[in-house]
Every structure is written in structure tokens, then in C-alpha cells.
Amino acid sequence: MFWIVAVGLAAFVAATLALALVRHAPDARPPAAYDLDVYRDQLREVERDVARNVLSEADAARVRTEVSRRILAADAALQESRDGSRPRGGPVVAALVVAVLVGGSFGIYLQIGAPGYGDLALADRMALAETLRAERPSQADAEASLEPAPPAADVPPDDVALVQQLREAVAQRPEDLQGHILLAHFEARLGNFDAAHVAKAKVIELAGDAATVRDLSEYADLMVLAAGGYVSPEAEQVLEQVLSRDPTDGTARYYFGLMMVQTGRPDTALQIWDQLLREGPADAPWIDAITAQIENTAMRAGVNYAVPAIGTGRGPSQDQIDAAQDMSPAERMEMIQGMVSGLGERLAEEGGPVEVWAQLISALGVLGRMDEAAAILANAREAFGSDPTAVDMLARVADRIGLE
């Protein structure tokens, strides 16, 4: 059916253009034709003036001579314009246009299109994303595929010498925690992110249980930088460790969203990044990176999205973030449930865009509160029933958490 419609449309457009090229425009009159009409009227007016004795015969003869001269000039111009307007090579030009139009269109489609590629249902696309995520390259493969990074510019010679000394020192004292901390820091300053994340891994190993969430977050950051912005399976494991200990960590959440984009789930990335923008603050290091990508991500997710005001307070407060650091997993889950309930109350009182409704429905599904999720979904479908984009987003959220 696709090829039938495509060939039919191409043939129709080509035939229309070809017909326009080979046919004369019968209604088009050159300016000389209008001049002739005027001059003939002038001759008739001269005869009427002579008959009324308004114009003498001698004067009439001079006027006739001048008007006749103009008629001859106009007639010559008319003949010349008609000769120039005749189609020359019309069928040949039409054939060339048809060949270029039809042949060029199909040639371009064969280059950038996907002939024979069937449509993918939502379930198929999600399965493909899972496969892509499971089979993506490792950290080592990603680093090996990159060209060697050029030396960092404007690096003081003292720093270069210091890094060399640190390398030698940690090689001699591999259990020196402070040495590895310094080495990771200065390798990163030099742009040697692969060496920096190796040193950071050693820091975490030596620190053991004392390794902080910040250590893990910096380790993931260095791994992604070393892979040229790619989030590898190894980096994902570190991000999961960070988020299990601190679900509010902005760096880990940004990179987790980036991984979702890279593995075919822009819809999930959009929810994560939108929440980070709303939480802010505006000077957070991930804000600029998100704003540079989120509109394109929303387009890929099929969402008509507008970037919100940064730091509108949709996320947890600083007090909640600080309190979460010392909570047990059960207490942290209770806090999250409270935040979800608060979001539901705010939507019920103030309303909000469909993206926030979708986020609430998804969160309720993750928490296992399916009855509430179904009720919110029904309300959202009623509120946004006239917006096809919103209805499609709600359908995707419902499918993801197992609602109809």
C-alpha cells in the first residue's frame, strides 16, 4: 500500500508539472496586444471627430499617419512576443523534469529511508530498547573506540610534573588512599579521564564502607567522560549504587536519563530530566546539559513539551534531601510515598500539564498503588481527552505500568 500511494502521488505531481510545461497559457496577453486595441480606438475616434467637424481633414490625415505608425510598431512587437512565448523543447523539458522528480525522490528515499522496514508497535519498540540496553558496548570497548584525546590546554607545567610524580608514588605505594585521591583529581584536570576513573575506582576500593555517595557519583561521572559521553553498563551499575543510597543525587539522575536516551527510551529520560529542571537550582551543573537536549528528547518521545521555569519547587526540599541521607530504605520509601501523595493533592487542587499527571501515574505504578494510578489515569484522560498528544502519552504510561 505504501508503494502504491507513493507512486501514485509522484505520478500525479509529475503529470501536473509536465502538463504546465507543454501547454500554452491561452489567457495570457502580451502588452503589445493592449496597445493595438488603444490605437484602433484612436483611429475610430478620429473618424468621429471629422464627421462632427471637430477635426479638419488635414489634421485628421496627420493623426491617422501617426496612429498607423504606432499600430505597425505594436503589431511587430506582438508578433515577436508570440514567437518568443512558443514552447521550445517543451516535451523534452517535461520528460527531464519527470525523470528528475520521480527518480530523484526514490533515489533519496533509498538513501535515507527504510525500504521494507515495517512499523513497530509500542511493545516492539520497548522490547527493542531493552535489547539495545542489554547488548550495548562495554566501558572498555567504548574507550577503545575513541581517538586519543589531545592534551588539555593551559595546563601549568607544574601540574604535569606533579601528576607524573603521583603516578610513580602510587605505583610504589598502591595502598596509599590519599595518593590515589590526588591522582584521580589531577588526571581529570589533565583530561585523562580513563586514568582518572581507574584511580577513582582504587579510591573506592581502599575506602571500603567509608566510600561516600559523592565518591561513587564522581566515579560514574569520570567513566562517562572517559567514554565520550556514553553511559556503559559498568557506569550504569555505579549509577544504580548511587541512587540506591541517595535517590536525589542530581549527577546520577542526569546520567541515568542520558542512558535512557541512548538506549531508546526518551520518554523515561524526559520524566527524569523534567523533574531535575523543576527542582533546580538554576546553577546546578546538569541544568545546561539538560536544557540543550530535552526538547529534542521530548520530540523523540512524541511529547509537545515546553521547558519549565528552573527551580519551581516541584522536587523535594533541601530539608527533605538532607533528611533522606540518614534514612533507612523503609523510611526513604515512606518519604517518597509522601511526596507522591503531595503531588497528587497539588494536581487535584491546582491542575498541571499532562507530563506531571503522567509522572504521578508512573510513580504510583512503581509504588504498587495501582488502584490510585487507575483513578488518576481516568481523571487525566477526562481532562486531556481533546488533546491527541496528551492522550497518547497517558496511553504509553498506562501500558508501561500495566493499566488499560
Side-chain angles (χ1 to χ4, degrees):
M1 180 59 68
F2 168 79
W3 287 110
I4 292 173
V5 173
V7 171
L9 289 174
F12 174 76
V13 173
T16 303
L17 292 176
L19 187 62
L21 287 170
V22 299
R23 288 183 59 186
H24 262 311
D27 297 332
R29 298 186 70 199
Y34 295 100
D35 292 341
L36 278 174
D37 293 341
V38 172
Y39 298 147
R40 289 177 180 134
D41 286 340
Q42 288 178 347
L43 283 177
R44 287 190 289 270
E45 186 67 27
V46 168
E47 299 303 328
R48 285 193 292 268
D49 289 343
V50 171
R52 296 197 307 268
N53 294 322
V54 175
L55 191 65
S56 67
E57 186 62 39
D59 291 336
R62 286 195 298 271
V63 173
R64 290 190 192 99
T65 300
E66 177 62 22
V67 173
S68 297
R69 185 186 62 79
R70 294 181 182 180
I71 288 176
L72 290 174
D75 186 65
L78 178 61
Q79 294 303 321
E80 183 178 353
S81 65
R82 285 175 174 172
D83 292 341
S85 65
R86 290 173 184 169
R88 297 177 181 176
V92 176
V93 175
L96 288 175
V97 169
V98 170
V100 171
L101 177 67
V102 178
S105 299
F106 284 100
I108 293 173
Y109 176 72
L110 292 175
Q111 289 293 322
I112 66 175
Y117 192 75
D119 187 25
L120 285 177
L122 177 61
D124 295 330
R125 294 197 299 271
M126 292 179 68
L128 184 61
E130 289 298 323
T131 301
L132 181 62
R133 181 175 176 181
E135 298 178 356
R136 68 191 194 276
S138 66
Q139 180 75 23
D141 290 340
E143 292 181 21
S145 67
L146 299 177
E147 295 290 334
D154 302 327
V155 176
D158 291 345
D159 285 1
V160 177
L162 177 59
V163 170
Q164 185 57 41
Q165 293 174 11
L166 283 170
R167 291 169 183 162
E168 295 172 357
V170 298
Q172 296 173 3
R173 299 191 298 275
E175 304 303 314
D176 183 357
L177 175 60
Q178 191 60 36
H180 284 286
I181 292 174
L182 292 173
L183 181 61
H185 173 74
F186 282 101
E187 290 283 19
R189 285 191 59 181
L190 293 180
N192 301 328
F193 298 115
D194 50 350
H197 81 71
V198 171
K200 194 69 178 181
K202 189 65 176 178
V203 170
I204 294 171
E205 178 187 342
L206 294 175
D209 293 339
T212 65
V213 172
R214 182 174 179 180
D215 287 330
L216 290 168
S217 183
E218 291 177 352
Y219 179 37
D221 184 31
L222 291 171
M223 293 178 74
V224 175
L225 291 173
Y230 164 69
V231 184
S232 66
E234 294 85 350
E236 180 187 354
Q237 292 176 2
V238 179
L239 293 173
E240 289 176 346
Q241 293 180 49
V242 175
L243 293 173
S244 67
R245 295 175 62 176
D246 180 10
T248 66
D249 186 271
T251 300
R253 291 160 68 193
Y254 164 69
Y255 280 133
F256 203 86
L258 182 62
M259 181 201 68
M260 288 297 177
V261 172
Q262 294 172 350
T263 54
R265 291 302 305 271
D267 54 326
T268 304
L270 178 63
Q271 294 184 28
I272 296 171
W273 286 354
D274 176 76
Q275 186 67 18
L276 281 171
L277 290 180
R278 295 179 187 278
E279 292 174 15
D283 59 351
W286 48 83
I287 294 297
D288 288 344
I290 291 176
T291 54
Q293 304 174 73
I294 194 166
E295 290 185 329
N296 181 61
T297 301
M299 181 183 67
R300 291 175 56 191
V303 176
N304 186 15
Y305 180 76
V307 177
I310 309 300
T312 54
R314 294 293 186 187
S317 66
Q318 188 60 46
D319 291 340
Q320 290 173 320
I321 293 173
D322 294 338
Q325 305 292 332
D326 302 322
M327 288 181 179
S328 66
E331 291 171 333
R332 189 177 293 118
M333 179 58 69
E334 183 178 352
M335 184 193 77
I336 293 172
Q337 290 178 337
M339 291 168 59
V340 170
S341 298
L343 176 59
E345 293 173 2
R346 186 162 58 248
L347 280 177
E349 295 174 1
E350 305 173 10
V354 67
E355 291 83 5
V356 179
W357 287 82
Q359 184 181 20
L360 175 60
I361 295 166
S362 180
L364 289 170
V366 170
L367 294 173
R369 294 158 59 175
M370 301 304 293
D371 291 342
E372 294 177 60
I376 297 295
L377 176 62
N379 291 338
R381 283 174 168 165
E382 182 178 356
F384 297 97
S386 60
D387 185 346
T389 302
V391 171
D392 185 57
M393 176 184 288
L394 294 171
R396 290 198 300 270
V397 171
D399 185 70
R400 187 166 62 248
I401 65 175
L403 289 176
E404 296 183 357

